[in-house]
Amino acid sequence: MGTEDSRLRPDRRAPAQEPRLRADALHNRNRILGVAADLLAERGLDVPMAAVARHAGVGVATLYRRFPTRRALIQEVFADQFAACVAAVDEALTCLDPWDAFRGAVEQVCAVQAGNPGFNSAFVAAYFEELGISGELDRVTCGLNELARRAKDAGRLRADFATSDFTLLIMANSGISAQAPEAAPTASRRLVAYLLDSFRADRAAPADPLPPPAPLDLYDILRSR
């Protein structure tokens, strides 16, 4: 009977190993993502995968096991930012005022773009289909186009606004986002406010006040380049 009980009794050693392995895997994954975020912000999207593995203290095989492609790594590093852009557009689509909806979505998407130099590069590359990341950006662009249509129909957005103007906005904001991190968000808000004011059709209404100017110096920017 004692032998049978020992066979039926759960082996308490096996479960003790499984959480440890899961914790190690989670630690490696989080470390890879943290290091990759820093390197992508510092060096751009072309940072070698081997450099990410080396700085994260893991083997290249471990890196590729977690993230089989550079695209998969970049998409996971900036998953929260891509999701924030989608959420901003989805929320705007529920807004009853067409102009407030359009303006809010543009402001939020551009703010996320300007908030991190690494994500700015990833967002622009994805926007121009250089990364092969389509799902989130498709939702963002389709949503922005729908918001533009609603604002036009309501007479709030100028009739000659073209969907390609979103590309101009993204390109302009990208240039600002490449500047010093402490200045980029402020500069981006001011640029977007200027552009939104130029997009308005109801010019009889008073202009919204601009955000404060950013501490930008032309000579500092030229020297940094």
Side-chain angles (χ1 to χ4, degrees), residues 130-216:
E130 296 170 4
L131 260 187
I133 299 174
S134 59
E136 292 90 346
L137 265 296
D138 284 347
R139 287 181 62 184
V140 170
T141 54
C142 288
L144 288 174
N145 290 339
E146 171 61 16
L147 291 168
R149 184 195 65 77
R150 295 180 187 180
K152 278 186 181 183
D153 290 347
R156 306 293 300 279
L157 179 65
R158 52 189 302 161
D160 57 355
F161 180 89
T163 56
S164 60
D165 289 331
F166 284 125
T167 301
L168 292 178
L169 194 155
I170 295 301
M171 291 171 64
N173 198 50
S174 173
I176 284 181
S177 302
Q179 302 309 315
E182 62 273 11
T186 303
S188 173
R189 285 193 294 271
R190 193 168 176 88
L191 170 71
V192 170
Y194 271 124
L195 293 175
L196 284 170
D197 190 61
S198 72
F199 294 160
R200 289 172 50 171
D202 53 339
R203 302 301 301 169
D208 295 325
L210 290 171
L216 295 175

Side-chain angles (χ1 to χ4, degrees), residues 58-104:
V58 300
V60 175
T62 298
L63 173 62
Y64 277 105
R65 186 163 59 249
R66 306 290 176 204
F67 306 100
T69 64
R70 180 191 304 274
R71 181 182 68 186
L73 176 61
I74 292 172
Q75 190 166 14
E76 188 64 25
V77 167
F78 299 116
D80 289 345
Q81 287 88 344
F82 280 116
C85 290
V86 172
V89 172
D90 285 348
E91 181 179 358
L93 288 168
T94 68
C95 180
L96 297 180
D97 185 287
W99 176 252
D100 286 348
F102 176 83
R103 179 182 62 188

